[in-house]
Structures are given as C-alpha cells and as structure tokens.
Amino acid sequence: MACLLETPIRMSVLSEVTASSRHYVDRLFDPDPQKVLQGVIDMKNAVIGNNKQKANLIVLGAVPRLLYLLQQETSSTELKTECAVVLGSLAMGTENNVKSLLDCHIIPALLQGLLSPDLKFIEACLRCLRTIFTSPVTPEELLYTDATVIPHLMALLSRSRSTQEYICQIFSHCCKGPDHQTILFNHGAVQNIAHLLTSVSYKVRMQALKCFSVLAFENPQVSMTLVNVLVDGELLPQIFVKMLQRDKPIEMQLTSAKCLTYMCRAGAIRTDDNCIVLKTLPCLVRMCSKERLLEERVEGAETLAYLIEPDVELQRIASITDHLIAMLADYFKYPSSVSAITDIKRLDHDLKHAHELRQAAFKLYASLGANDEDIRKKIIETENMMDRIVTGLSESSVKVRLAAVRCLHSLSRSVQQLRTSFQDHAVWKPLMKVLQNAPDEILVVASSMLCNLLLEFSPSKEPILESGAVELLCGLTQSENPALRVNGIWALMNMAFQAEQKIKADILRSLSTEQLFRLLSDSDLNVLMKTLGLLRNLLSTRPTLCILANIADGTTAKELIMTNDDILQKIKYYMGHSHVKLQLAAMFCISNLIWNEEEGSQERQDKLRDMGIVDILHKLSQSPDSNLCDKAKMALQQYLA
C-alpha cells in the first residue's frame, strides 16, 4: 500500500512548490508599482542558490513578465535594476535556464538597457549579459548582430570597475576567430583595454589580460600592435612579464604566459627573446608540476606545446628544464591511489577530467619530439611510453586519440625508432585500426604517420601491406579532403618505391588508371606532385630485379601507362608546366619510360617521340633551371644510345 500512496504524495509536494512559486509570479502583475517592486525583491531572495525555484519560476512564465517590466518606460529605475538582477540569477542556474532566457529574447532587451543613463541599472544589465554570454549554449554571434553594440560597450568601459570587469569578460568569451578579433580591434579594443592592466582591481586586470590573450591568438595584426603599446611608460610585453612572476596568482601567470606565447607564435616577438626563453617558457614548465591543479597542468602543457611547436631551439631548452619529460609521465598516473586530494568534490571533478591530462601530455610530447632525435629517444625511453601511446590510440575520447596519433607521428620521424620501438610494440596494428573508422582530423594525422611506416627501411612495411593497406589508401585518394588525398597517394608512393612488381601491380589494380588520371587532373598541387612521384616509382625497376613479362594481371606498370593515352598526355602537359617541380616530376616519369636497358624501351621511345616528347626535351635542355636542364639532357642521351 505504501507504494501506491507514494505518487500522490510526491504530486502534492510538487504542486505545493509550484503554488508557492506561482505566488511570486502573480505579484509581478499587481497594479500597485510598489508591490511589484517588493515582489521582484522577494523573488530575488527566493531564487538565490535555489535551482529548483529558478526552474519553477521559468516554467510559470516569470521571464517574459520580468523582461516586460525591464523595458517599460513607466517602470522605475530601481524596478528595472531589480528585474535585471533576478534575470541574472535565473541565468546562473542550469544551461536549460539560459536556453529559456534566450528563447525570450533576453539579449536585445538587456543591450537596450545599456542605453540608460543610470549606472546601477547598466551594471546589472552587464552582469546578466556576462552570465549569459559565458554559458556554452549562447551563440557568440548575438553580440555582433547589431553593429552599434561594440562601440557602445567600448564607451561604457570608462564608467566603473564593474563595467570594465563585465565588458572585458564578455569580449574574451565572445571573441572566437579572426572575424571577431577584427571587429574588436577596429573598434579600439587594444587602446581601450590596455590601461586596465594597471587597474587597482585584480578582477579588472585579470579580465583585461584574458581579453588580450584571445585577441592575440593567431593574429599577427593584433600581436604586432600589442608589442608597441605603452601603458604608464611601459611596453605591454614588459607588463606581461611582470604578471607572470612567481609571486602573482597562478591564473595571472598562466594568462600572461599565453599572451606572450601567442604574440611570439604570431611573429611579433622573436623565439630567442629573453621574455620567451627566460620568462614565458620556464613559467609554463612550472605549470606542469604535480603541485598544480589539474586544469592548470592541462593549460600549462598545451600552451607550452603550442609555444615550442615550430622552434627546435625552444624544444631543446624545454626538454632540459625541470626534468619536463619525466614530469609529464605523471600526467598518466593521475589521480594516483595515494592522491593528496582530500576534497571529494575536487577528486570527483579530476577523475572526470583525467583524460584532459593525457591529451595535454601527448600534445607536449609531440611538440618536444618534432625535430630532435635525442629528445625523441628520451621520450620513448620514459617509463611505459610506447604502451601509453598505443593505449591512447583506442581511448573513447576523440581528443585523446588525436593527441596520441600526433605524438606517434612526431616520434615516427625517427629512422632509428621506426626500426626499433615501433616494431617492438607493433604500433602499425592499432594504427590500422584507427584508420578503419575515424573522423577526418584523426585520419589526416594517422594516414600521414602511415606514410612514414611505409618507408622502405621500416620493418612495419611488410605487415602493413599484408593487412589490406593498398585498398585503404586507394580509398583515401578518393576523399573530398585534399589532405587525405595527398596522404593516400604519398603512402602509395612510399609503398611503390623499389617494390616488387606484384605490389606495383596491386597498387595499379586497386587504384585503377581512371583514378590515376583523375589524380593527375587534381586541383591540389601537392596531390599532383605525389601522383607523379607514385608514377615514377611504379615505372622504375631495380636493376637487380629480373623484370618478368607477365605479373599479376599480365601487364607491367609501364605497359599500363603506355596504353593509356590520357595519362601520357597529362605527363606531357606537366613537362611544359610553369611550375618547375611539376616539370621535374614529369621528367622522372619520362626517363623511366625511355630507359634503354629495359625491355620494350624502343617501342616506348618511338611512341613518345610521335607524341612530341623529344621536342619538349630539346626545349627543356635549354632551361635556366640546372636540375631540369640536366634531366632533359640525360633523357635525350637515351634516344642517342
């Protein structure tokens, strides 16, 4: 019987809650303005920290009424301000709350409120806008819909510390990509925000700093401007350096390091500048230590990975700073059974986000090992490193898988490691699995790595061939993504280099001459170059190899090409191309076709002469490019021999 009674009891409790909430909404419609004001104030007190109450009031239609009162000219400024405060409190609940507010067109109403002369009302509107715009469900574009909004926000920056804090926070959350950066930059963001870095308010300084980090990211125009900005007689980079000193709060150190990192990557600060080598890099390494919170370690490692990615000298310095390579190994052991975390909430949070640490470590290892052989060796010799990468390839998180593949790709640039560690751990197996079914961003890196594993000296080449790689790679050449087409054809080119005729015939059969012709007509220059490279490798034979007349489908690669006039015409076309590299690649193909010592060379030479190839060779033998000139003369020698 108790079970039967449970539902009505729960229903009655719910209706009681809704009834008490209904009372708050009803008071908003009272004809007496004073009672309405008191109702809004009581509602404000009722919703603070009470998500259930917030949800009830939204369901009961409080939002449209509050917005109506906020926009009514007859409403007192005090009432409008209290309405904005309640709406801000509702927005601090769940993401669904924010969606409900957006559906009621809260943003245009609040932006309209910013035109009021009353500072307290403006601050309440801005605080609410800040809460809404920092929610992940709010489209940033809503800030840029009306062209008058940004200049007005710039003008409001001078009104108070609160307007400065909220507006900078709105800007830093809504600046996503070059278009937004340009709008903010053109409306004087740099000049208007720079002086806030010396504000007496820590919150204002911090939000201004965050603004500069998002404005400078991958933006040379903003970065070049920032380098020369003076604030109280000091250049901005010097101010950023002061903000990343050890005595400053961690958040400030990290964000300053990001500003300097982004300015460096955008070309505004040299990589050998002291502010990078002696200040920014060591600060970011400090952030990777296990004393730091999880999110600080993640941000520190990812920012450092970005800073050192293109510069071998920074990679070397980072690799010997504070035992960084060993320090990163701790990212995989977190949280450990003897974790120092006593706060249960923090432990719960960290367990859910531990994958972010692994992702950050893979990213940083990838950057560290991008160029230097000794660093790669150190990384691979770090405890269980290859096992960790192999495990990372099959993690559920796409971001971790991508970072693991990137790390592996970086390490695969080492001839030594391809021959040893990669073979010992049979890395090709999980990689082939990744290639079967992955989003494009992973496919691009994984297929690029496969190119390295298919180099002739790689012990992985044979097992990869046996596991169906030819079909997989031929499939990639048909992708709409040019990067995947390049990698597919590049890997086939490596596969065909000094390969047995059977492999070459397999490639041609799987690829088909029709697809080969399509690739020779590709709009992407890299695809063309690699296709001509593949042709060269398919047409060349090892002198030590006995050329068998009938292999696989009864034709050699040379015969297949010679019987396909479309492909021959394409090669001829590229011999006369304006791009020297394409001319050279086409020359290699022709040289292989006419080489005297090989069977059938006379017939091939005759057919190519009839096509006008000899005339083109004579022209190219006069080329100002010495390489091209030599190759043409060498080819002509074959006709004279």
Coordinates of all heavy atoms in Angstrom, one line a residue, residues 36 58 164 384 421 449 626:
V36 N 4.8 45.5 -6.9 CA 5.5 44.8 -7.9 C 7.0 44.8 -7.5 O 7.7 43.8 -7.6 CB 5.3 45.4 -9.3 CG1 6.2 44.8 -10.3 CG2 3.8 45.3 -9.7
I58 N 10.7 29.9 -14.1 CA 10.8 30.0 -15.6 C 9.6 29.3 -16.2 O 8.9 29.8 -17.1 CB 12.1 29.3 -16.0 CG1 13.3 30.3 -15.6 CG2 12.1 29.1 -17.5 CD1 14.7 29.7 -15.8
Q164 N 34.0 47.6 -16.4 CA 35.3 47.2 -17.0 C 35.4 45.6 -16.9 O 35.7 44.9 -17.9 CB 36.5 47.8 -16.3 CG 36.6 49.3 -16.7 CD 37.5 50.1 -15.7 OE1 38.0 49.6 -14.7 NE2 37.8 51.3 -16.0
N384 N 57.1 3.1 -19.8 CA 55.9 2.6 -20.5 C 55.4 3.5 -21.6 O 54.2 3.5 -21.9 CB 54.8 2.3 -19.5 CG 55.3 1.4 -18.4 OD1 56.1 0.5 -18.6 ND2 54.8 1.6 -17.2
S421 N 61.7 0.7 -31.6 CA 60.5 0.8 -30.7 C 59.2 0.5 -31.4 O 58.3 -0.2 -30.9 CB 60.4 2.1 -30.0 OG 61.7 2.4 -29.4
M449 N 51.1 9.5 -40.7 CA 52.1 8.6 -40.0 C 52.3 7.3 -40.7 O 53.4 6.8 -40.8 CB 51.5 8.3 -38.6 CG 52.6 7.7 -37.8 SD 51.9 7.0 -36.3 CE 53.0 5.7 -36.1
S626 N 69.0 24.5 -63.7 CA 70.1 23.5 -64.0 C 69.6 22.1 -63.8 O 70.0 21.2 -64.5 CB 71.3 23.8 -63.1 OG 70.9 23.7 -61.7

